[in-house]
Amino acid sequence: MERKHFLKSLLVGAFSTPALLSACSKTDEVAPTTTGSTTGTTGTGSSTCAVAPTETEGPFPTKVPASYVRSDITDGKAGYKMTVKITITDSNNNCAALAGALVDIWHCDAEGNYSEYGGTGMQSTNYQAVHFLRGRQTTDSNGLVTFTSIFPGWYSGRATHIHVHVYNTNGTSLKVTQIAFPEGTGTAVAAVNGYNKGLSGYTSNSKDNVFSDGVTQELATVTGSTSAGFDLSITLAVPA
């Protein structure tokens, strides 16, 4: 993944409700959607236990993941509140829940910038000294980790996405992948509307250089609204 352009616009405004860290209206509500990756949740065989695709970490991976063991990764960043629930299953064990796995996530802020990087042509804003929107959690007995974050923004050349790196309990890498978001009328992507940027120039999943080959195993279920906040859930099968 490479950026073709860096972002110039900055998110501004005051935020007045716990769920809404940016301006909102009732017209932005999103009906719950059933679109998403549910493959591997039942563990009933190969047809429902497909391994999550391996994807690039991109140019902005977390530098020292073990330093950011936390469930709330917002670090004060502005944006619409989003709860992220990721269930990890073992594709080598009929997609049974994988307990004790380490799960790292990271994504850009509402403006499309990443922490720990910047001051270069790929990202002009310098965020090298901060670590927002990055965190690590350990899966429980149900294979679940939960993070509190904000709805990601977007930047040139990429669709809305979240990076995920899964390790076993000993720290051995099991899978690097990415989470895609449903798009189109009635979706959270449409409701958020790119925050202050809008969606002019937005790269859809079908044209994204990571997701253009399909998002069947990477597409999350996203429900909620800009006023109440969003809930993202996905199940990812990895070979443990």
Side-chain angles (χ1 to χ4, degrees), residues 36-39 50-53 180 211 213-220 234-235:
S37 174
T38 56
T39 302
V51 178
F211 299 138
D213 57 350
V215 293
T216 302
Q217 311 303 328
E218 299 168 288
L219 193 65
I234 191 169
T235 296

Side-chain angles (χ1 to χ4, degrees), residues 39-205:
T39 302
T41 58
T42 59
T44 57
S46 59
S47 63
T48 58
C49 191
V51 178
T54 297
E55 306 289 11
T56 176
E57 280 191 323
F60 308 115
T62 303
K63 294 181 178 180
V64 188
S67 297
Y68 303 103
V69 178
R70 55 187 182 175
S71 59
D72 188 336
I73 65 174
T74 53
D75 269 354
K77 291 302 290 184
Y80 297 111
K81 180 181 177 181
M82 183 174 68
T83 300
V84 178
K85 294 187 175 183
I86 303 172
T87 300
I88 305 299
T89 63
D90 183 0
S91 62
N92 289 335
N93 187 23
N94 204 30
C95 273
L98 183 60
L102 307 177
V103 181
D104 295 339
I105 71 168
W106 66 97
H107 64 80
C108 70
D109 65 8
E111 302 160 9
N113 293 312
Y114 285 88
S115 63
E116 300 193 349
Y117 297 87
T120 68
M122 295 189 72
Q123 178 176 297
S124 60
T125 305
N126 192 335
Y127 282 131
Q128 294 183 43
V130 290
H131 310 279
F132 56 77
L133 306 179
R134 299 177 183 275
R136 166 176 286 188
Q137 287 286 282
T138 302
T139 57
D140 63 16
S141 60
N142 296 312
L144 177 68
V145 291
T146 302
F147 296 91
T148 298
S149 190
I150 63 168
F151 197 93
W154 64 275
Y155 50 89
S156 181
R158 287 305 315 273
T160 305
H161 64 283
I162 296 175
H163 294 268
V164 182
H165 195 157
V166 182
Y167 304 80
N168 68 14
T169 188
N170 296 319
T172 300
S173 178
L174 300 177
K175 178 64 62 176
V176 178
T177 191
Q178 297 185 26
I179 297 172
F181 286 65
E183 298 171 338
T185 303
T187 66
V189 168
V192 173
N193 194 37
Y195 292 97
N196 283 4
K197 292 171 59 179
L199 293 175
S200 177
Y202 178 81
T203 300
S204 64
N205 289 330

